Amino acid sequence: MDVHMHHPAKIDDEVRRLTAQAEDNIDEYISDYDTWQVNRGNFRWVMTNADLNDSFEYLENLVGPPQGRGKAALVADLEAAIRADLIATSSETVVNTRAAALAAKRKLVLGRTGDTGPWATYQQGKPQEGNRLPESARMSRRLNTTKWSVPVNYAFMDGGIAVRAVFKIVTSLGPQIESMLIGGRLNAGNFWQEIGKLGDSPLWDSDKQADEGGPQAMLGHEILQLIESGYQFYGRESAYAQGNTRLVAVHPDKPVLAVGDKTQPLTLPCGLE
């Protein structure tokens, strides 16, 4: 699966952002590379020049030694290397997420970082008994990667949507947003406008700076991705939520007769496997 074809704008935006960040250090990388090679093994020098050392290591990992290349050539090589890495990591994420969702009975978990962490701790505390899924399968329901980026996040969603996974949202969105989602009152055309009207919410970070992507929370982008794929939202009783409901998103191919009844699994009917 070519993730670049799914969300080319996300790949392009991230390539531009990362290239611009690293480009500021390329002149120094060209002029001081040899000096760095002499001193990079000197612990005291590295500690004194930590930022420079980190930036040079990053550039070297992506483009290698300057080797007589000018700035324009290095920037072009840098951009190509960043793009290749993002595409490879995103493609791998799609494949891994599809496999993880299938191993976890087509169930994935979404939420703000501050909520998925405690959810993971809760899963780790469950005893392995009966027909409960192994801990590894339950833990892989959330996106947990050391190479996170916006395109990788979109790739995680793509992988789950491709196998018609059910997405459980462990972050409480509040009754207003949840009722709007359950009632189908949010769509691709009005989503951010309506969410923005509500002020601060789990889907809107008013303190988030423009260079961090703006006020829209990543969870909101995930939910919008589900809306664009035709998913429907329901409230479902959750033991993790201590008897309260948690929002779940179900693929449109799956008819839901009694989503609140936990004796009925939210899995695909025969013929849609």
Side-chain angles (χ1 to χ4, degrees), residues 27-257:
D27 285 329
E28 280 186 293
Y29 186 65
I30 294 171
S31 62
D32 297 341
Y33 181 82
D34 289 340
T35 301
W36 176 56
Q37 290 302 298
V38 172
N39 291 297
R40 64 188 301 184
N42 183 326
F43 177 77
R44 180 171 295 180
W45 185 93
V46 169
M47 293 301 295
T48 305
N49 301 274
D51 291 341
L52 179 70
N53 184 71
D54 289 346
S55 67
F56 278 20
E57 283 187 344
Y58 177 74
L59 287 167
E60 185 182 55
N61 182 56
L62 287 173
V63 301
Q67 294 180 327
R69 286 171 290 174
K71 183 174 183 178
L74 281 172
V75 170
D77 290 345
L78 174 65
E79 182 176 338
I82 290 172
R83 184 178 299 278
D85 182 62
L86 285 172
I87 292 174
T89 304
S90 297
S91 297
E92 182 181 347
T93 299
V94 169
V95 173
N96 290 345
T97 303
R98 293 179 64 156
L102 292 175
K105 296 184 177 179
R106 289 188 170 86
K107 295 178 183 178
L108 296 176
V109 167
L110 302 179
R112 300 295 298 267
T113 303
D115 297 313
T116 56
W119 173 85
T121 301
Y122 173 78
Q123 294 299 323
Q124 290 170 327
K126 284 183 175 180
Q128 189 62 51
E129 58 186 19
N131 62 352
R132 178 171 290 160
L133 286 174
E135 181 182 319
S136 59
R138 287 181 278 119
M139 295 293 285
S140 66
R141 286 174 170 168
R142 62 172 182 154
L143 175 60
N144 186 21
T145 176
T146 58
K147 297 188 69 174
W148 186 92
S149 68
V150 170
V152 165
N153 208 108
Y154 273 77
F156 169 76
M157 298 298 295
D158 280 340
I161 292 169
V163 295
R164 302 178 178 88
V166 171
F167 291 83
K168 179 180 180 180
I169 301 171
V170 297
T171 294
S172 176
L173 305 181
Q176 192 166 7
I177 292 177
E178 291 183 0
S179 66
M180 293 173 76
L181 286 168
I182 293 171
R185 300 199 302 274
L186 295 174
N187 56 59
N190 72 1
F191 184 80
W192 287 121
Q193 181 181 5
E194 294 301 316
I195 293 299
K197 288 178 182 178
L198 302 178
D200 287 340
S201 76
L203 304 185
W204 194 271
D205 287 333
S206 59
D207 293 333
K208 197 174 182 183
Q209 300 301 311
D211 62 358
E212 297 176 309
Q216 298 94 340
M218 200 66 229
L219 177 58
H221 289 284
E222 293 168 342
I223 290 174
L224 179 55
Q225 207 170 337
L226 293 174
I227 291 173
E228 291 171 339
S229 299
Y231 270 70
Q232 297 171 318
F233 295 81
Y234 304 89
R236 185 170 173 86
E237 184 180 340
S238 167
Y240 175 66
Q242 298 179 341
N244 295 320
T245 60
R246 275 291 181 262
L247 211 62
V248 293
V250 181
H251 193 278
D253 284 352
K254 170 68 173 81
V256 179
L257 301 179

